[in-house]
Amino acid sequence: MISGADIQALKDYVKGPSSQNQAETTVRLQVTHSNLKAHFMEIRLDLQMTVAAVKQKLMSHTGSSPGSMQLQLQDEMGRLLGQMSDNDRMLGFYSPYDGCVIHVIDTDVSSKSASGWLEDTSKVQKYVMSDEDYAKRENTYKQFKMMKQKEDPEWTAEKELCQRKGIPYQAPKQSTKIEDDDYMEVEAATLHCGNRCEVNPGGKRGLIRHVGRCQGLPKGYWVGVQYDEPVGKNDGTIKGVQHFECLPNYGGFVRPDAVTAGEFPPLDDLFSDEDEI
């Protein structure tokens, strides 16, 4: 049986510094960019590099020309520590330490990064095949689908997969439009804000933050849940209306019949330190 001391030793090892050797003259820095949203990997730089050499290395990471770069040294919170404006200075002159940030400001207005070309894939012209050219191709999915629907007018890809796996196929239920403003009011009456709950299917656990009608959702009663893990679809906001506040992807809205209130602790609390590995 794994003891508590073994578990703590494993935690200390995982949370400890990297096992890779780091020279005394190197520093591990984060990189941000004025035009890019991307989170760059941590890079190691030698304190004896000149600022000009740092810019050359950053060019391969950011795509900005060294001549159009302005570098700022920031702390972990993004507070300015200094302007790295002298290309001939050594990096060590600015006294960076592990975890500091080099912020790259691209001053070139014609830079591709300024127009989103390095991140926005919608700007890239994509090949589109015409319907006429697609019709000339053989063994396409469209031809396969037409053949199957001639044999079975109710054919679907899901039905085909079930047949191939040898399992029964159940057609999806047709959703009906809810016209009753009080739909599921009775089920909602047993649920209260602040209750711990479990949402099924899926066994997702969390805290009930809203019970009632929701502007922007179909009629009837809804339950707003703040999940313990990022398994939701929003931050408690639906179509611009905030019903409760939580982190992005931790919020969700479900019908009351999918929610069970009760003693549902976070799943991590179900395991003691003796059980963790």
Side-chain angles (χ1 to χ4, degrees), residues 89-150:
R89 291 277 191 188
M90 298 292 183
L91 176 61
F93 172 81
Y94 299 95
S95 302
Y97 52 87
D98 289 349
C100 278
V101 178
I102 291 183
H103 181 60
V104 180
I105 300 175
D106 192 336
T107 61
D108 183 3
V109 295
S110 62
S111 170
K112 288 185 176 180
S113 65
S115 304
W117 282 98
L118 297 182
E119 292 183 313
D120 189 353
T121 58
S122 67
K123 293 180 177 291
V124 180
Q125 185 176 0
K126 302 171 181 63
Y127 172 73
V128 178
M129 181 181 293
S130 67
D131 293 339
E132 292 78 9
D133 289 339
Y134 183 74
K136 296 176 183 177
R137 298 175 66 92
E138 297 180 354
N139 299 321
T140 63
Y141 173 75
K142 185 176 182 179
Q143 292 174 343
F144 172 76
K145 180 179 178 181
M146 291 174 61
M147 179 187 69
K148 285 293 184 177
Q149 288 181 335
K150 285 183 179 180

Side-chain angles (χ1 to χ4, degrees), residues 9-224:
L10 178 59
K11 289 181 178 179
D12 293 340
Y13 173 78
V14 173
K15 295 180 179 179
S18 171
S19 60
Q20 297 180 354
N21 294 327
Q22 180 176 347
E24 294 182 358
T25 60
T26 62
V27 63
R28 294 177 295 169
L29 303 175
Q30 303 291 331
V31 178
T32 59
H33 193 280
S34 59
N35 296 334
L36 302 176
K37 299 178 182 178
H39 179 76
F40 297 94
M41 294 179 61
E42 179 184 78
I43 63 173
R44 294 191 182 196
L45 297 175
D46 196 297
L47 295 172
Q48 298 178 5
M49 296 175 66
T50 64
V51 171
V54 171
K55 289 181 177 180
Q56 285 288 342
K57 185 161 187 176
L58 290 175
M59 178 176 66
S60 62
H61 290 266
T62 66
S64 295
S65 169
S68 63
M69 285 186 192
Q70 290 181 357
L71 302 186
Q72 294 181 344
L73 183 66
Q74 302 175 353
D75 66 10
E76 302 94 325
M77 302 302 294
R79 294 182 288 249
L80 181 65
L81 298 178
Q83 301 283 352
M84 302 170 61
S85 55
D86 190 340
N87 285 335
D88 296 325
R89 291 277 191 188
M90 298 292 183
L91 176 61
F93 172 81
Y94 299 95
S95 302
Y97 52 87
D98 289 349
C100 278
V101 178
I102 291 183
H103 181 60
V104 180
I105 300 175
D106 192 336
T107 61
D108 183 3
V109 295
S110 62
S111 170
K112 288 185 176 180
S113 65
S115 304
W117 282 98
L118 297 182
E119 292 183 313
D120 189 353
T121 58
S122 67
K123 293 180 177 291
V124 180
Q125 185 176 0
K126 302 171 181 63
Y127 172 73
V128 178
M129 181 181 293
S130 67
D131 293 339
E132 292 78 9
D133 289 339
Y134 183 74
K136 296 176 183 177
R137 298 175 66 92
E138 297 180 354
N139 299 321
T140 63
Y141 173 75
K142 185 176 182 179
Q143 292 174 343
F144 172 76
K145 180 179 178 181
M146 291 174 61
M147 179 187 69
K148 285 293 184 177
Q149 288 181 335
K150 285 183 179 180
E151 300 173 357
D152 178 5
E154 297 181 355
W155 180 91
T156 63
E158 293 79 8
K159 187 175 184 179
E160 179 74 17
L161 290 174
C162 288
Q163 290 175 346
R164 293 189 179 190
K165 293 179 181 179
I167 58 178
Y169 169 72
Q170 290 185 341
K173 296 181 180 179
Q174 297 295 326
S175 59
T176 57
K177 186 176 181 180
I178 305 300
E179 300 291 351
D180 183 5
D181 282 333
D182 297 327
Y183 179 68
M184 290 202 176
E185 180 182 14
V186 174
E187 292 84 349
T190 62
L191 306 173
H192 306 283
C193 291
N195 288 160
R196 291 287 304 174
C197 68
E198 184 174 79
V199 178
N200 283 293
K204 297 177 288 187
R205 296 187 176 186
L207 189 70
I208 296 177
R209 296 292 305 279
H210 171 87
V211 180
R213 304 178 183 89
C214 291
Q215 182 178 342
L217 290 177
K219 293 182 178 181
Y221 278 70
W222 293 87
V223 179

Side-chain angles (χ1 to χ4, degrees), residues 225 231-238 244 246-253:
V225 179
V231 293
K233 296 183 178 180
N234 54 59
D235 61 355
T237 301
I238 293 291
F244 64 91
C246 67
L247 293 173
N249 298 324
Y250 276 80
F253 292 85

